Amino acid sequence: MKTVAYREVEAMTTGWWMLMGVLAAFTSLGLLAAFYMEHNGHWVTGMTNQIVWGLPHVFAVFLIVAASGALNVASISSVFGRTAYKPLAPLSALLAVSLLAGGLTVLLLDLGRPDRLMVAMTKYNFRSIFAWNVILYSGFFGIVVVYMWTMMDRRMKSFSKPAGFAAFAWRLILTTGTGSIFGFLVARTPYDSAVMAPMFIAMSFSFGLAVFILVVFASSEMTNRPLGDALVRRLKNLLGVFIAAVLYFVTVQQLTGLYVAEKRDAVVFLLTNGGVFTILFWLVQIGLGALLPLALLFAPPTAMNRPAIGLAAILVILGGIAQVYVIIIGGQAYPMPLFPGFEATSSFFDGQVNTYVPSGPEAFLGVSGFAVAMLLVAFASTVFRFLPESLADEVVDPHCAAKARK
Amino acid sequence: MKASWLIALLAMLVAGLGWGPAFADPFPTIPKAKGERCVEDPQYMRRNHMDVLRHQRDDTMRLGIRTTKHSLKECVSCHAVDGKDGKPVTVKSRQHFCASCHEFAAVDIDCFACHASTPEAKR
Amino acid sequence: MSATTSRRAFLAAASAAVATLAPGITLIAAQAKPADQPASSSVRWGMLIDTTRCSQDCSACVGACNVENGLGSHGRPQTDPQWIRKVDLTSKRTGQKLSLPVMCQHCESPPCVDVCPTGASFKRQDGIVLVDRHICIGCRYCMMACPYKARSFVHESLENQRPHQPRGKGCVEGCNLCAHRVDEGKRPACAEACASGAILFGDLNDPKSEIAQKLRTLPTTQIRPELKLNTAVRYGGLSI
């Protein structure tokens, strides 16, 4: 097999400046929004004492979940020994740390006291899943950076496999931790379920790969590097499997909820009369975010059509954001059952479905998480050799390409 | 002690060179406290008031120890400075005991985001 | 014997004297701890709320809490903090009407303390659950975890805080059982303000205390008993 050649992205071209400009603009908008929120206090956002986590958390959780999933391609090549994915392994690791950085930026900037980052880094309550996550996130950065080093430095090549294993194990634990942020909350009926952890892992596979496919498409298009059908076929089939896995876990989650009398009302609320949450669930999460992409990826007319595959990836991301929105916001909107068997009213909105109207600053802050991630990817692949010169079939999978030519 | 004088001198120099007129009075005017003497030696307090306060803060907050000797509330009330309206000034004013020095030293303090910077008026 | 121990002995004698001199507040005054002593784990502060004595149109406890702790309103009910609220209940089965105050229930195993990443949310030795605002980073995970909606986030800059109750933007807060009053041997403001005597405050660990005796004789419950949090706030006349 040919050794894969990597080359930096050419800097200072018009396209490069435009890309950097747009990403920097969105990043700055997010920073401005965060400053505005912190300066005035959170009352200027749509978040309240009832909906305490809002749009920033939706984007942050999506990005953090996608981060661990973006490492898929590297894991498949290092841990499961699939050489076809090897050329993309460094990019996969880079995308993983970048998405995590983007997500954590949003999470940090939404804190009531972001100036106390040092407190969060130095004072740990080891019973807190959040505290575990702080350690898991820091560890992920460390391990994946070392993993990238082993992949990109010839002298370190022999360490690549163990580093890949470590990164793979760590990302599974990390996503378990992210899912458990919600799964361990006994207070709120719609959360409180062990299925959250494996479901978040499936979500990470799907969201992360969708983002990865888009980055691969965009980078090969923008830098005029060939991208062969063999790799595209592998990636899109894999995405299809992951979408199905998420659907499976969502089904299990909702069915267990319907079966247990204690949770039934909350599930019925979401599935039938939850207003915006019901619409988001059926239309965006299931319809646009799972069924339509599956059709695009596997129906013969569009199955190998690049724009259709790109669209499917975009839809998976949209559906994913909707899913996280439904989980986080929907879970808080459903009234907390303090007094089962009673109708409750109070000045603190007991017994009511809580409403949430996201504000502009929150949305800008959330979206800026993506901008930060992409800015990091673009910058790092300009400075270092992350992107392969070619992803043509004969480079990626010479054996398969030769067969196809016959 | 020598080091802090040196720093003060340097600060003065820098201030004098850069923004002379704005810092015509190089030293802060520290208002006098109401009480007879401080709970600790003033020299000690100048250097260590933050540690004293922090220690008391954790004792009170975490353990419920409510001795008044090192309590911020007592500092604030003994060092209160009345403004032109006869009411104690808040930390927003440079006349405030804490602000007078902290603004000069350019050390931002977070205490008064939550703590009252004036003694409570009789209710 | 050192000077401190003799002062402690004097204070103990003094508080015992108060106990006999002033009937009515005897129970509480006898339990007042000396200022230089930490809160003790032999005590567990709690409240018993008799819902049969709580009327729907009375909110004296809420008003007293707001004054005591300097909780102002910005006219924005969605974001204004509420440490205690009156909840009106109507039974779906029988139509029975009830009204009761809900505040931090001061759980024995508080979920807010478990989830807090920095340890800002903590439980004092005497069972009072509160937030150390010095290390609260404002992540609101405790609000997600609290089964009683007992916590509020400070959504805007504050001024004119009460000196005994520091509060500020960006931190989470909630009922702290008026720890500053309890440490002085007083009852929480809500209990003191309740004219109908529906809120009884005392030491759950002291078998001789009025609250412990009532808990032994009257049928009482906690909110969301299935969570097994063993709350320090108990309700009488409420069947869940």
Side-chain angles (χ1 to χ4, degrees), chain A residues 62-99:
Chain A
F62 177 90
L63 287 164
I64 291 167
V65 166
S68 110
L71 199 64
N72 273 327
V73 168
S75 299
I76 294 170
S77 106
S78 293
V79 179
F80 300 105
R82 299 257 179 260
T83 46
Y85 290 101
K86 209 171 167 210
L88 281 174
L91 176 66
S92 157
L94 170 64
L95 184 60
V97 285
S98 303
L99 287 171

Side-chain angles (χ1 to χ4, degrees), chain A residues 19-247:
Chain A
L19 177 72
M20 289 304 207
V22 169
L23 293 175
F26 271 99
T27 305
S28 322
L29 272 177
L31 291 177
L32 275 177
F35 176 74
Y36 172 75
M37 282 162 57
E38 297 305 335
H39 181 74
N40 289 287
H42 274 63
W43 76 274
V44 296
T45 71
M47 289 175 273
T48 62
N49 281 329
Q50 283 68 44
I51 305 285
V52 301
W53 283 356
L55 220 45
H57 303 82
V58 172
F59 279 95
V61 168
F62 177 90
L63 287 164
I64 291 167
V65 166
S68 110
L71 199 64
N72 273 327
V73 168
S75 299
I76 294 170
S77 106
S78 293
V79 179
F80 300 105
R82 299 257 179 260
T83 46
Y85 290 101
K86 209 171 167 210
L88 281 174
L91 176 66
S92 157
L94 170 64
L95 184 60
V97 285
S98 303
L99 287 171
L100 185 63
L104 291 181
T105 307
V106 176
L107 207 58
L108 170 73
L109 291 178
D110 176 75
L111 289 179
R113 299 294 308 251
D115 52 317
R116 290 187 178 162
L117 175 64
M118 258 335 270
V119 175
M121 304 295 285
T122 50
K123 290 197 182 284
Y124 289 107
N125 163 26
F126 288 102
R127 284 182 69 90
S128 165
I129 297 158
F130 246 23
W132 302 352
N133 278 327
V134 174
I135 296 164
L136 289 171
Y137 298 149
S138 323
F140 189 77
F141 276 117
I143 289 178
V144 177
V145 166
V146 169
Y147 182 31
M148 286 197 280
W149 180 24
T150 64
M151 286 190 288
M152 297 171 76
D153 183 345
R154 271 169 207 286
R155 289 167 303 171
M156 298 294 290
K157 210 116 210 156
S158 52
F159 298 103
S160 176
K161 200 164 171 103
F165 262 108
F168 180 65
W170 197 271
R171 46 95 71 220
L172 289 181
I173 300 169
L174 179 127
T175 316
T176 303
T178 315
S180 303
I181 290 176
F182 303 96
F184 285 11
L185 287 183
V186 290
R188 298 177 190 263
T189 346
Y191 300 146
D192 183 24
S193 160
V195 83
M196 282 287 189
M199 184 169 82
F200 267 62
I201 292 181
M203 284 156 68
S204 81
F205 285 160
S206 169
F207 306 166
L209 188 59
V211 177
F212 184 76
I213 288 177
L214 286 178
V215 169
V216 170
F217 278 17
S219 61
S220 72
E221 189 72 30
M222 285 180 202
T223 60
N224 293 318
R225 301 180 193 208
L227 172 61
D229 274 343
L231 190 68
V232 172
R233 182 179 293 113
R234 279 170 187 274
L235 289 174
K236 70 110 189 165
N237 285 345
L238 198 58
L239 182 61
V241 173
F242 291 160
I243 295 171
V246 175
L247 270 181

Side-chain angles (χ1 to χ4, degrees), chain C:
Chain C
M1 194 178 269
S2 75
T4 31
T5 38
S6 61
R7 193 177 67 212
R8 273 176 211 166
F10 168 76
L11 281 167
S15 58
V18 171
T20 47
L21 281 174
I25 56 159
T26 45
L27 259 174
I28 308 297
Q31 288 158 344
K33 67 171 185 59
D36 62 345
Q37 292 297 301
S40 151
S41 60
S42 62
V43 176
R44 184 169 183 220
W45 297 116
M47 295 207 277
L48 172 59
I49 294 164
D50 183 353
T51 60
T52 59
R53 291 200 203 175
C54 184
S55 114
Q56 191 175 329
D57 36 61
C58 173
S59 59
C61 53
V62 178
C65 175
N66 291 347
V67 171
E68 177 67 28
N69 298 303
L71 311 183
S73 164
H74 290 80
R76 295 186 283 263
Q78 291 277 0
T79 50
D80 283 339
Q82 296 192 29
W83 293 11
I84 179 173
R85 61 190 191 268
K86 283 296 298 293
V87 180
D88 296 325
L89 300 174
T90 311
S91 167
K92 286 182 200 159
R93 216 155 29 88
T94 63
Q96 178 206 11
K97 283 191 183 299
L98 281 171
S99 183
L100 44 84
V102 176
M103 71 297 274
C104 172
Q105 304 287 301
H106 300 279
C107 310
E108 189 185 23
S109 12
C112 58
V113 174
D114 285 345
V115 301
C116 178
T118 65
S121 197
F122 74 105
K123 190 174 72 165
R124 265 180 25 160
Q125 287 295 309
D126 55 4
I128 296 180
V129 176
L130 67 172
V131 181
D132 182 351
R133 290 177 183 79
H134 302 113
I135 56 170
C136 171
I137 57 173
C139 73
R140 283 107 79 204
Y141 197 18
C142 56
M143 300 174 74
M144 294 291 281
C146 175
Y148 305 104
K149 296 215 305 174
R151 288 252 166 112
S152 290
F153 180 64
V154 179
H155 283 74
E156 55 269 281
S157 297
L158 301 178
E159 277 175 14
N160 298 323
Q161 292 93 329
R162 305 285 310 260
H164 58 255
Q165 193 53 270
R167 321 169 39 231
K169 179 178 78 179
C171 291
V172 177
E173 58 181 23
C175 159
N176 57 8
L177 219 56
C178 284
H180 60 284
R181 291 175 58 97
V182 172
D183 286 343
E184 286 175 2
K186 294 194 235 162
R187 292 181 289 170
C190 57
E192 195 169 272
C194 184
S196 64
I199 306 181
L200 175 64
F201 171 80
D203 177 7
L204 302 174
N205 282 354
D206 175 8
K208 290 196 290 278
S209 71
E210 195 183 348
I211 188 168
Q213 288 175 14
K214 280 216 166 143
L215 282 169
R216 275 202 298 277
T217 50
L218 296 175
T220 60
T221 185
Q222 44 181 324
I223 310 179
R224 305 188 77 173
E226 75 283 3
L227 298 179
K228 297 226 161 83
L229 301 173
N230 188 12
T231 60
V233 178
R234 301 283 170 144
Y235 291 83
L238 170 71
S239 49
I240 290 179

